[in-house]
Amino acid sequence: MGAAVVAGCTSPDDPGSSTQPGPGGDQPSEVDFAKQPELVWTAAITDIQPGERFLSPHRMAAMYEVADAYEVDGTVIAAVREGPSVRLVGLNGDDGALRWNVALELEIPDQPQPASDDPTLLVPVPQETTGITEVTCAAASLDGALPCVISVFDTEAQTRTASIHYFTLSEGDVVETVTADHADAVRVVDDTILTAGWAPEREDQDISGTITIARGTVADPAADWIREYPIAGICFGSGDGFTLGAFGGFVHFSSVSTVFVDADTGEPVVDGELSSISELSADRFIGTRCEPSQLSPQQSPDRIAIVGDGTGQLLHEHPGLHSWNEPRIRTASDAPYIASYSVFDTSTGEETWRLPAGDTSQVVAVTGETLIAFHDSVDERQTVGYDLHTGDERWRVRGDDFYQYEGADGTRVLGRGGADMNMVSAFDAASGEIVWSLEVPDGANLRIVSAGLLVATHEEIRYYAFD
């Protein structure tokens, strides 16, 4: 199997984000959908943890009972809910054999507490860990160990305590445990550790909450910097999901809102409050900024689509429009960008053509020279491929065949359809013709890896190889 890959998770008020929480990441750039993948192995939950179910190793997805699995350096990672606790499972990526099955018993390092009335005198005090255990793992390892945020939510006290545990991919042994109460998510970038999380408002604050982001090392996740970012709530989302990402020299975290900062310093890149941000090309980004409604404070906020360069300087602004955060797969760096239903020239920021407007139209991806959009009506969904530069319609297929976007390789597009969403098909991006189709279990979750597909249900995990 190839490099780790996982899909993104929800971003608040972002119509183009995936609606499925996950560890966060992008599909591998070398993926090729030319050949129909063949089943290589199946791992059944009955052989690993009888009576339980596979779940996502991401606490928000697991909360919604989403089955999922992803791969890190040849090990397939999944979670299993066991009452109020969670087990983390590692499978051999080559044959699906069980490598390890670990119960997540949270052992947070003792915290210094005042030993007397003198607050300067501190002694270690063991921490209580009763409640519901949750886990969110990174999509990459560092020195052979996978960092996971493990937390316990105390249902009585309504408090959450968290730490980062580092699991060896070979044995599942914990080689390091570090307190990180601020963290919902963890990400590995080169040899650094990024953590981030959101905390709701407190009675003494006139804000909607605080997002905290830190950059550091295995031993100290805040060694480089840690900063808090108050959220005013202008474009306040539900927080029903979160994603921690990095590209260029930037770090971003989305939950109730989006924070976009310089990776070296933690300084915010863009003034104002954001609802989304994503990489547009190697040296540009696109996002949506929120401002209070000019009509009434009770109205939804005004939105402005923004485009900036690798230094953080804004190049174009489009009031009243929003970005879709659609994935761009093997698309030229100077290719047009999309905001709402308009397509713009990257250099000038001028509109070149418009998509058919409609409340139920959605841009889902750009691959090669093709823009892919969903158009929903009362009767059905239709998926349409447009020429990215001219707006000419290249193809149109019914939602029965292509209802959900799964990925692309620049030449072909993976779509999910079928009466029970049990057919995965590769469509030619230029013509819309079906190259191949694969039947998968009803309701299965699909992940793309460099050499194939991981397909997960509550009962089993399958691996299909492209060659």
Side-chain angles (χ1 to χ4, degrees), residues 17-326:
S17 290
S18 166
T19 56
Q20 174 186 292
D26 303 312
Q27 71 174 50
S29 59
E30 71 275 16
V31 69
D32 190 317
F33 302 147
K35 298 179 180 179
Q36 178 172 333
E38 300 290 337
L39 179 63
V40 177
W41 54 258
T42 300
I45 189 66
T46 53
D47 296 329
I48 296 172
Q49 198 70 28
E52 305 297 342
R53 300 194 292 175
F54 285 122
L55 294 176
S56 170
H58 183 284
R59 71 180 181 91
M60 293 302 296
M63 184 175 70
Y64 288 102
E65 298 292 314
V66 174
D68 201 1
Y70 67 104
E71 183 224 353
V72 180
D73 300 337
T75 298
V76 174
I77 306 296
V80 175
R81 170 66 70 185
E82 189 178 39
S85 301
V86 176
R87 303 185 73 89
L88 200 61
V89 173
L91 307 176
N92 187 315
D94 292 330
D95 57 15
L98 180 65
R99 281 185 172 167
W100 42 269
N101 180 357
V102 179
L104 302 185
E105 297 178 357
L106 188 63
E107 295 179 1
I108 300 176
D110 295 343
Q111 300 297 296
Q113 299 291 337
S116 66
D117 293 336
D118 183 353
T120 64
L121 299 177
L122 302 178
V123 297
V125 175
Q127 301 298 291
E128 297 293 331
T129 58
T130 58
I132 300 174
T133 305
E134 302 167 323
V135 60
T136 299
C137 293
S141 65
L142 184 59
D143 297 330
L146 177 69
C148 299
V149 175
I150 302 179
S151 58
V152 167
F153 181 74
D154 190 317
T155 54
E156 294 184 1
Q158 294 292 297
T159 58
R160 178 176 171 271
T161 308
S163 61
I164 305 173
H165 291 216
Y166 292 82
F167 297 86
T168 61
L169 291 174
S170 58
E171 304 292 339
D173 296 331
V174 176
V175 293
E176 185 81 36
T177 302
V178 184
T179 300
D181 283 338
H182 70 277
D184 289 321
V186 59
R187 187 179 182 113
V188 176
V189 178
D190 297 325
D191 58 350
T192 64
I193 298 295
L194 297 175
T195 52
W198 168 72
E201 62 181 319
R202 298 194 298 265
E203 293 182 358
D204 61 337
Q205 294 178 315
D206 188 23
I207 57 175
S208 295
T210 302
I211 286 177
T212 301
I213 304 178
R215 192 183 85 163
T217 63
V218 171
D220 181 2
D224 295 333
W225 53 264
I226 182 169
R227 292 191 56 163
E228 292 185 345
Y229 307 89
I231 304 301
I234 300 173
C235 51
F236 194 78
S238 67
D240 194 12
F242 52 82
T243 179
L244 173 61
F247 61 84
F250 308 117
V251 175
H252 58 96
F253 180 75
S254 293
S255 179
V256 295
S257 186
T258 293
V259 173
F260 182 48
V261 304
D262 184 283
D264 291 330
T265 64
E267 288 288 334
V269 176
V270 178
D271 292 334
E273 194 161 312
L274 303 175
S275 67
S276 66
I277 204 77
S278 64
E279 185 177 17
L280 184 60
S281 65
D283 58 356
R284 298 194 180 191
F285 62 84
I286 186 169
T288 304
R289 186 176 68 224
C290 301
E291 294 183 354
S293 172
Q294 297 183 5
L295 298 177
S296 167
Q298 284 71 42
Q299 296 283 341
S300 297
D302 295 333
R303 301 187 184 278
I304 302 172
I306 58 172
V307 175
D309 64 17
T311 68
Q313 179 179 354
L314 292 187
L315 303 175
H316 310 301
E317 298 189 31
H318 303 286
L321 305 185
H322 63 77
S323 63
W324 293 99
N325 284 11
E326 78 282 352

